[in-house]
DNA sequence: ACCTGAACACCGTTCAAGT
DNA sequence: ACCTGAACACCGTTCAAGT
């Protein structure tokens, strides 16, 4: 499967770094040393930083989309899927207190090249579309209604992750999910 | 009131910039040219970038705390206060699609000096404490219960602002507030 | 094709020295 | 006290040259 090992490594390292330090925090010299190459070599695989950023963000949402699809196949119960959805964000926190790449890049919106912005939006889109589908299945709501609700859940979960990260405390994330359930935003 | 005009100008410009580009995006040369001085002069008022960042974040939560206090005095109805609470976040978006400084700096957590992190936490603290008070008044809930609910509202509103910013579209923020109300997170 | 040393223009930051 | 020129270290990027 791995057609190109170096390119693979660059993408993986860039993703990890961007989840901790953002797009602005990505720098080619440090990235190169993680991979074991020199900075100019990265340009052989990615002509500009914008290309690398877009590639990282694209892969990020593609991997997420795949994981969400798998989930639907494995778990028939929509409620179980919803519970596992928030676990994706929780796992980022477990893995070095990392933030969702989409959230970090949303904050960096003003500094992002257009092609990167587009991938960040795609990430939000696939999350919301998936949530809307699952919500419709769980509660039998109409498409437009579950779409709005899906958007709200996505924004709220992202906000919860951001807040937990700011205190480096995963229990805050869990508490917030409980509160969302108690308030009625997430199904009980 | 303005004991020091230059220091004042630096703080104001830094706040504006940090809400668009974050702490990492703060740069002394550009900041200086906004104020009309040379970059090294800033160091006369703030010994390090960390000091400036902490001062900006401190003032940010102090101003917010003051505004929230004023609101309580002006509007007896807690529901009215809650509605106006989200308007604070909306106004940032109206003003050049800016993000809450606390949110941006939460994303940048790994790159923040300790003294800045402390002020970012103070911002969250005063927001949550105020929300808890108003919720208790509005719904007569117990202190611990409204505390949890307050945390959830704060995280969700921050997430909504982040999402609206990522699309430069304020109507997304309004839609999300409506959804939060419809779902039961915000009082109707 | 894949990789790198050296260099360029630039930027954040520091410091010694000015008034 | 207030301010700055000059310098330092760094970064994204380019390019000529290596394999």
């Amino acid at each position: 499967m791995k057609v190109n090992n170096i390119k693979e490594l660059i993408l993986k390292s860039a993703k990890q770094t961007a989840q901790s330090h953002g797009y602005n925090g990505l720098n080619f010299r440090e990235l190169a040393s993680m991979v074991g190459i020199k900075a100019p070599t990265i340009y052989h695989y990615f002509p500009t930083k914008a290309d690398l950023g877009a590639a990282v963000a694209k892969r990020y949402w593609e991997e997420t989309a795949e994981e969400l699809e798998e989930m639907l196949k494995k778990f028939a119960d929509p409620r179980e899927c919803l519970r596992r959805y928030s676990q994706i964000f929780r796992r980022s926190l477990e893995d070095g207190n990392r933030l969702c790449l989409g959230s970090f890049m949303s904050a960096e919106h003003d500094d992002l090249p257009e092609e990167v912005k587009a991938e960040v939006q795609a990430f939000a889109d696939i999350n919301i579309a998936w949530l809307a589908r699952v919500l419709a299945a769980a509660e039998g709501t109409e498409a437009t209604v579950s779409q709005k609700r899906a958007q709200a859940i996505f924004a709220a979960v992202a906000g919860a992750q951001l807040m937990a990260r700011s205190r480096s405390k995963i229990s805050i994330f869990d508490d917030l999910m409980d509160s969302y359930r108690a308030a009625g935003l997430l199904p009980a």
Side-chain angles (χ1 to χ4, degrees), chain A:
Chain A
M1 186 74 336
K2 67 175 63 166
V3 178
N4 191 322
N5 202 16
I6 298 273
K7 193 168 184 178
E8 248 344 89
L9 282 170
I10 294 170
L11 280 170
K12 274 215 175 81
S13 302
K15 178 192 155 198
Q16 292 285 95
T17 304
Q19 281 188 262
S20 292
H21 308 285
Y23 177 79
N24 288 329
L26 266 182
N27 86 73
F28 277 38
R29 273 197 242 259
E30 199 184 319
L31 201 54
S33 86
M34 282 181 191
V35 177
I37 54 176
K38 298 296 172 183
T41 304
I42 298 176
Y43 288 88
H44 183 259
Y45 299 97
F46 303 98
T48 65
K49 188 180 175 179
D51 287 314
L52 173 61
V56 169
K58 183 170 159 50
R59 165 168 296 202
Y60 192 77
W61 73 252
E62 284 174 347
E63 282 176 355
T64 303
E66 205 178 331
E67 185 177 357
L68 292 174
E69 224 45 59
E70 290 295 317
M71 220 188 270
L72 283 184
K73 279 183 201 152
K74 255 193 219 158
F75 304 97
D77 181 13
R79 257 158 248 272
E80 177 68 21
C81 287
L82 282 172
R83 205 169 327 123
R84 286 177 184 267
Y85 177 75
S86 70
Q87 292 297 309
I88 297 179
F89 288 77
R90 193 185 200 277
R91 241 180 292 128
S92 276
L93 293 170
E94 288 164 15
D95 179 23
N97 199 31
R98 283 190 168 75
L99 194 65
C100 165
L101 188 64
S103 299
F104 213 136
M105 287 184 161
S106 290
E108 291 176 301
H109 182 264
D110 287 5
D111 300 314
L112 249 37
E114 285 305 323
E115 57 263 54
V116 181
K117 277 186 208 164
E119 304 298 345
V120 173
Q121 295 197 1
F123 176 76
D125 288 339
I126 64 108
N127 274 272
I128 293 163
W130 184 90
L131 281 167
R133 248 167 82 197
V134 176
L135 283 167
E139 307 181 336
T141 42
E142 196 190 325
T144 46
V145 174
S146 41
Q147 177 75 15
K148 290 225 165 201
R149 179 85 178 287
Q151 229 174 330
I153 291 175
F154 177 67
V157 172
Q161 189 197 40
L162 187 63
M163 204 173 151
R165 168 173 162 83
S166 77
R167 310 242 175 188
S168 310
K169 212 172 158 204
I170 294 185
S171 67
I172 292 181
F173 182 78
D174 296 332
D175 286 349
L176 283 166
M177 292 308 118
D178 287 343
S179 296
Y180 289 161
R181 256 185 293 274
L185 181 64
L186 289 173

